[in-house]
Amino acid sequence: MSRRVALALGSGGARGFAHIGAIEVLEERGFEVSAVAGSSMGALVGGVMAAGRLKAFKDWAVALKQRDVLRLIDPKWAAAGAMGADRLINHLNEFLTDIEIENLPIPYTAVATDIEARREVWFQKGLLRTAIRASVAIPGVITPVVVDGRLLADGGLLNPVPIEPTAASGADLTVAVSLQAPRPAQEPASPVRAAAAPQWVEDWRGRLRQVLHTREPKAAALPEDLRIGTVLGLSLDAMQDLIARYRMAGLPPDIHIAVPVSASGILDFHRAADLVVLGRSLTTKALDDAGY
């Protein structure tokens, strides 16, 4: 008899392709997914799986090249986000179709954030693609949407790994896949105390001796290859890692599969093939360690 699994799929942009590998391994080992909840990319992969289109979605994703991703991006530089994501969602209609969430074969929840009311929104009814579009609206990157009068953005803002919607599913065990790996044991979580002095203070002091008046030091230059997407991604990862750890401490899963943030950037959608393989590897190890 197969074991019933409640699956919580986390947010984290392109790293969410690792969810595909995790689901594949669970199915290969005889687990039956009896409920799934997801935030952001977790909502997308979970929804495609619930709709029975995961294999077709994977085939499409692993074939994506960087130029293909750029064609799917809908620039909205003057709007509330860098990308509209409408072209991408429209392209995904092949996988999401017009199916209603309540007609999916398994209970499904897409988590979004009402950024005005500062509360989670759980989509458990209505159009699957509408729920996913709301959940994937990464702040500053993908424009938010208005649904039922609510201004909605990425579910990972408040619930990066949504275990709670599956709590009443009656599953044998809960499996959570987070996309922000836990902090290494040797790296403390406590605040770091640092001086605000620039790293070049000694050089500045040396120059000061050569002049007769004090000058205001110039700020250190940022790395030349630093982009806004990288800054947003790192900032969101830091925030979601902390929130996820606190929330999972209150409602821990039976099995936690953690994909490291170093696996890819949030917009590296052309790296799907590598991320699927990583998801398979991490899930295999987690199940082996748990005796499954």
Side-chain angles (χ1 to χ4, degrees), residues 59-102:
D59 291 343
W60 170 78
V62 298
L64 282 175
K65 306 298 182 188
Q66 196 163 21
R67 63 179 179 273
D68 300 320
V69 175
L70 292 174
R71 290 192 192 106
L72 290 171
I73 291 175
D74 185 14
K76 301 283 186 182
W77 299 110
M83 298 183 296
D86 296 323
R87 291 179 190 169
L88 176 60
I89 294 297
N90 289 338
H91 195 84
L92 292 174
N93 282 347
E94 176 186 347
F95 311 106
L96 304 176
T97 66
D98 290 327
I99 194 167
E100 305 269 344
I101 294 173
E102 56 267 40

Side-chain angles (χ1 to χ4, degrees), residues 17-66:
F17 284 129
H19 292 321
I20 299 174
I23 294 168
E24 288 178 342
V25 172
L26 287 169
E27 291 178 343
E28 289 166 6
R29 296 208 176 187
F31 290 96
E32 174 193 351
V33 178
S34 59
V36 61
S39 287
S40 197
M41 193 66 172
L44 173 56
V45 175
V48 171
M49 180 207 67
R53 299 286 289 160
L54 188 64
K55 184 181 184 305
F57 177 71
K58 174 191 173 182
D59 291 343
W60 170 78
V62 298
L64 282 175
K65 306 298 182 188
Q66 196 163 21

Side-chain angles (χ1 to χ4, degrees), residues 207-230:
R207 292 196 302 272
L208 182 61
R209 296 188 189 103
Q210 299 174 19
V211 295
L212 298 177
H213 62 278
T214 303
R215 296 181 300 184
E216 183 69 21
K218 294 181 180 179
L222 292 170
E224 291 185 1
D225 59 348
L226 187 64
R227 298 291 181 266
I228 186 171
T230 303

Side-chain angles (χ1 to χ4, degrees), residues 225-240:
D225 59 348
L226 187 64
R227 298 291 181 266
I228 186 171
T230 303
V231 174
L232 285 169
L234 292 173
S235 302
L236 288 169
D237 284 338
M239 177 192 73
Q240 292 182 84

